[in-house]
């Protein structure tokens, strides 16, 4: 809506705006010329020097009017009035020689007063949701600091040696990245007023909107969302799902990452499966605890946790596997889930629930999507090959239904189970009197669990995120400082966070183990294979082979259906486009698809065909988030494109550093003991945990997320 107008011009809005710009230019040139002449040519006359400064003030006023700022008009009137005062009272000039023209200059701007606004006028781009980001000092400092350190690694090493400086830079980077999007609580979620469950669809045809509501704000069973839904018409105009999925699929050409190992790929799946948990009965909801809590081995609630505990010494249930020729002791693995004779889930594990509420307070009512006793039926949807009797009897008891999905998932669970039991035994040895108390088993278990969870948090920040960041400056886990940040809020998983973690392109076509090439069905749901080689050998094998590069046209064919479900899921809830999320994370919009792809002609043509300009909306604004995240150009040594990197980092920091175990009044020897604090401080990587839990007799193994031979000569 335009502001009030003093005079009316019989021109179109565009013509009036162009005329206003011409008037600003002409009078601005006159004022600038007068300022130069009066300020420089009359050095001996202080009144002329003053006039020069006033004319320069007039130039500034005209610039503000050109920006459609009303303050500029009133400043110009003030400076014009000042010109009259100087000429009439100090220079004794006849008023109509110099004053009258300046009155006319001011009058020329009166018809355009309606185009101006108090404060910053609305930018046409601001009508987009969200508007184009404005610069802020924290983002500016963070971006330039990271860029400077990346160019000069020696600076990073110097900063890391000076502890106070390292802490300052560490906090600036973390706070700058995490403050990019608005903090929780978010006004929108996937809540809708439907009275019953909303099933997932796979054709993208069913779309649902939402609005701010009380249940949407407080009920974390409904997944959150960062941006409001787009219109149904915009979703309907998107290209067919099958054509979009074709962008993701790998042909015969596997694109390896020069930097990322397959271990990172499998660890990312294991890590995110614990909190990115869409409710299979209702697509609006999740079955997540919204915390990084090692529910993979502890379960989603205390009732389930009790079923996984030994009941003595603070230990988790475990068993000894068959000793391999090189092992001096029998290796430790999770207990078997299934009775091998009855082929049924053992009664001691049957009530492990895969819903947080039921896992916490079991009331004999089945959770909406089952318990451990129903696991075989739940997994049959994947394929009958996953549940043959030979494979079924090798399933491990664990906290989540996906625990046996790959031999790497089982290996990582095994490592953290061993670490928990190691910690519990060491605590019992260090504090025998406390361990012998009536609640000693509970104290040992909960203290070991607390330490184990914080070890995982350290791995996420200092190993996982540092690998993705690719910066010579290594971020550290700091407890306490997050308490004072504006983003220190209750965790909530969002739709966008769920979708951005679909890193199927990282999965290799085959997994090399023991001199064999294993196809996907061979290393999935096959724990017998894990124990034939040992958890250490499986981790070493994953760490010494390359993951796929996270780009389009690199998803293996056996993961086509998950890609299709991701695109359909985004459309079902009318997810905003890629450029909208650039703006939400304080990155400037791309003006064209060619700019988005960095000039990749083949990819540009493919995207322009699928997302042409339509109804006044540029094609680049229509590119969907899952597509844009992988299509975006990045430097050769970066694992992730810019937006994906920023979204992952901000969510990881805001989810990890708000963990209650890191709070100022929780973290310390009362929570972890002195021994526990020492274990936390000496751990900085997943490899640290692996190495101290290797079975005696096994050779030292590699457990790195990054390829140590990476030099930047090949794309990351």
């Amino acid at each position: 809506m335009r502001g009030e107008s003093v005079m009316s011009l019989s021109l179109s809005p565009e013509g009036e705006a162009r005329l206003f710009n011409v008037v600003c230019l002409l009078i601005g040139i006159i004022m600038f010329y007068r300022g130069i002449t009066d300020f420089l040519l009359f050095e001996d006359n202080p009144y002329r020097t003053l006039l020069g400064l006033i004319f320069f003030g007039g130039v500034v006023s005209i610039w503000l009017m050109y920006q459609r700022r009303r303050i500029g008009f009133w400043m110009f009137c003030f400076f014009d009035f000042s010109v009259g005062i100087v000429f009439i009272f100090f220079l004794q000039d006849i008023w109509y020689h110099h004053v009258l023209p300046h009155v006319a200059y001011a009058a020329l701007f009166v018809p355009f007063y309606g185009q101006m606004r108090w404060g910053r006028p609305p930018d046409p781009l601001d009508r987009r949701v969200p508007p184009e980001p404005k610069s802020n000092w924290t983002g500016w400092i963070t971006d330039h600091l990271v860029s400077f350190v990346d160019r000069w690694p020696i600076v990073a090493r110097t900063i890391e040696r000076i502890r106070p400086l390292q802490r300052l830079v560490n906090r600036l980077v973390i706070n700058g990245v995490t403050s990019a999007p608005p903090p929780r609580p978010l006004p929108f979620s996937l809540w809708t007023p439907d009275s019953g469950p909303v099933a997932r669809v796979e054709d993208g045809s069913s779309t649902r909107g939402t609005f701010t509501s009380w249940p949407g704000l407080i009920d974390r069973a409904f997944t959150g969302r960062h941006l409001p839904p787009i219109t149904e018409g915009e979703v309907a105009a998107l290209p067919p799902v099958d054509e979009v999925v074709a962008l993701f699929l790998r042909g015969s050409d596997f694109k390896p990452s020069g930097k990322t190992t397959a271990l990172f790929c499998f660890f990312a799946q294991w890590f995110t499966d614990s909190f990115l948990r869409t409710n299979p009965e209702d697509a609006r909801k999740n079955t997540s605890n919204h915390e990084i809590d090692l529910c993979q081995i502890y379960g989603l609630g205390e009732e389930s946790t009790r079923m996984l505990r030994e009941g003595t010494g603070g230990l988790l249930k475990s068993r000894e596997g068959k000793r391999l020729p090189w092992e001096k002791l029998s290796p430790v693995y999770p207990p078997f889930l299934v009775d091998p004779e009855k082929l049924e889930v053992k009664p001691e594990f049957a009530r492990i629930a895969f819903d947080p509420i039921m896992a916490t307070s079991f009331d004999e009512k089945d959770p909406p999507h089952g318990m451990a006793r129903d696991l075989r039926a739940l997994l049959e949807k994947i394929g009958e090959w996953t549940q043959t009797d030979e494979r079924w009897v090798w399933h491990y008891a664990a906290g989540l239904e996906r625990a046996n999905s790959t031999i790497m998932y089982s290996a990582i669970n095994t490592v953290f189970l061993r670490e928990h039991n190691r910690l519990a035994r060491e605590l019992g040895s260090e504090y025998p009197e406390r361990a012998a108390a009536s609640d000693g088993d509970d104290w040992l278990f909960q203290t070991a669990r607390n330490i184990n969870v914080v070890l995982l948090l350290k791995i996420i920040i200092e190993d996982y995120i540092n690998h993705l960041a690719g910066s010579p400056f290594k971020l550290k886990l700091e407890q306490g400082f997050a308490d004072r940040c504006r983003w220190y809020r209750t965790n909530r998983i969002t739709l966008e966070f769920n979708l951005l973690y679909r890193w199927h392109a990282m999965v290799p076509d085959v997994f090399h183990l023991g001199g064999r090439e294993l196809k996907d069905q061979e290393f999935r749901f096959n724990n017998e294979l894990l124990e034939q080689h040992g958890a250490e050998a499986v981790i070493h094998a994953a760490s010494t082979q390359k993951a796929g590069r996270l780009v389009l046209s690199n998803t293996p064919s056996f993961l086509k259906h998950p890609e299709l479900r991701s695109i359909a899921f985004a459309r079902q809830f009318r997810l905003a486009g890629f450029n909208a999320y650039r703006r939400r994370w304080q990155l400037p919009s791309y003006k064209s698809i060619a700019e988005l792809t960095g000039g990749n002609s083949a990819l540009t043509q493919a995207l322009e065909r699928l997302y042409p300009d339509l109804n006044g909306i540029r094609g680049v604004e229509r590119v969907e988030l899952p597509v844009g995240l992988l299509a975006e150009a990045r430097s050769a040594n970066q694992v992730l494109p810019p937006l994906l990197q920023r979204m992952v980092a901000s969510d990881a920091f805001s989810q990890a550093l708000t963990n209650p175990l890191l709070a100022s009044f929780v973290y310390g020897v009362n929570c972890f003991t002195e021994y526990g604090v020492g274990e936390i401080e000496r751990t900085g990587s997943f490899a640290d945990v692996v190495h101290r839990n290797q079975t005696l007799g096994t050779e030292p193994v590699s457990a790195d997320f990054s390829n140590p031979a990476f030099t930047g000569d090949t794309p990351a």
Side-chain angles (χ1 to χ4, degrees), residues 14 115 123 202 280 315 333 345 387-388 409 413 542 549 716:
E14 294 79 11
Q115 292 190 32
D123 187 321
E202 296 188 6
L315 302 174
Y333 291 103
V345 174
Q387 298 305 309
T388 62
Y409 200 124
N413 263 8
R549 194 160 186 249

Side-chain angles (χ1 to χ4, degrees), residues 169-181:
V169 174
N170 195 65
R171 293 180 179 189
L172 280 173
V173 172
I174 290 176
N175 192 50
V177 170
T178 313
S179 297

